[in-house]
Amino acid sequence: MKLYFSPLACSLATRIALYEAGAEAQFVEVDGKTKRTSDDSDFQRISGLGMVPVLVADDGRVLAENAAILPFVADRFPAAALAPTDPEGRTRLHQWLSFIGTELHKTIFVPLLDETAPEAVKAYALARAPKRLDWLATKLEGRSYLLDTPSVADAYLFAVLNWSAVTAIQLRNWPALAAYMKNLHARPAFARAFEEEKALWIAELQRRGQPLPAIAV
Ligand SMILES: N[C@@H](CCC(=O)N[C@@H](CS)C(=O)NCC(=O)O)C(=O)O
């Protein structure tokens, strides 16, 4: 398997899932600006949208979209039990992957993180955050995971909520979310994936001569 990723992008979720599963995989870094890969390819030719994650399966199939790749990894490594297999559990998993992808990732965080987004767009996104994060916090109150056991949905939510550190969203305003993140970071696969990609992210900023945000130093 080969995962095309950018440091601390949403593709972190797939790395976490692969580590949770103890899977053998090759990781190819994509420069989000130039779209060149660490193995010297043009990523735009691999993914027409130029977006990570892209996963190349063992049989050569090229897969895209978090909501497709994450269950694929879970099913490929069933012993890790990273996704329910019963219809009710599977529906709940898809519900979470859809919520994270559409309501959090794209509605809130993409505009806040996009350097080219106008201030009015950022304000629009920020104004939508409390309702969604309040609701999420009620669902996570007293729980360690979105489902009964750790799943690929937790990996995706961890990758997305992690971005709050470089936005105006203060996770400490939602103690259930802050506790959830801390709990996940205590899992070796999450911590390993996060620390490895944080180091790569810092290296990328340094290569570009960009200042390091306070959380990186
Ligand atoms: N719908 C896609 C979105 C993936 C996505 O937003 N990827 C971002 C990083 S988190 C990306 O590659 N952005 C680069 C770009 O937009 O050029 C999915 O869920 O996989």
Side-chain angles (χ1 to χ4, degrees), residues 9-10 32 35 49-53 65-67 105-106 110 156 163:
C10 52
K35 304 294 178 195
L49 290 174
M51 285 182 166
V52 293
E65 297 293 326
N66 286 292
H105 182 170
K106 291 293 169 179
V110 166
Y156 190 15
W163 298 331

Side-chain angles (χ1 to χ4, degrees), residues 24-150:
E24 289 287 323
Q26 185 191 345
F27 297 92
V28 180
E29 185 171 339
V30 178
D31 185 313
K33 290 209 191 305
T34 65
K35 304 294 178 195
R36 296 299 300 178
T37 69
S38 54
D39 60 2
D40 205 25
S41 304
D42 177 2
F43 183 59
Q44 207 71 53
R45 293 173 69 104
I46 297 162
S47 151
L49 290 174
M51 285 182 166
V52 293
V54 164
L55 186 76
V56 182
D58 296 330
D59 61 8
R61 274 179 297 161
V62 178
L63 308 174
E65 297 293 326
N66 286 292
I69 290 175
L70 290 167
F72 174 86
V73 170
D75 291 345
R76 172 71 181 71
F77 303 99
L82 292 171
T85 50
D86 62 296
E88 167 64 16
R90 205 70 182 188
T91 301
R92 294 284 165 211
L93 176 74
H94 285 302
Q95 182 179 321
W96 280 121
L97 292 174
S98 179
F99 171 78
I100 298 162
T102 61
E103 302 300 334
L104 303 182
H105 182 170
K106 291 293 169 179
T107 299
I108 302 177
F109 285 101
V110 166
L112 294 181
L113 294 169
D114 186 343
E115 294 155 9
T116 67
E119 281 312 312
V121 171
K122 289 186 188 292
Y124 178 91
L126 201 53
R128 263 136 197 83
K131 178 174 157 186
R132 288 159 177 78
L133 296 178
D134 286 351
W135 180 83
L136 178 62
T138 63
K139 296 290 175 193
L140 281 170
E141 193 65 53
R143 297 179 65 92
S144 300
Y145 310 112
L146 291 167
L147 303 175
D148 291 340
T149 53

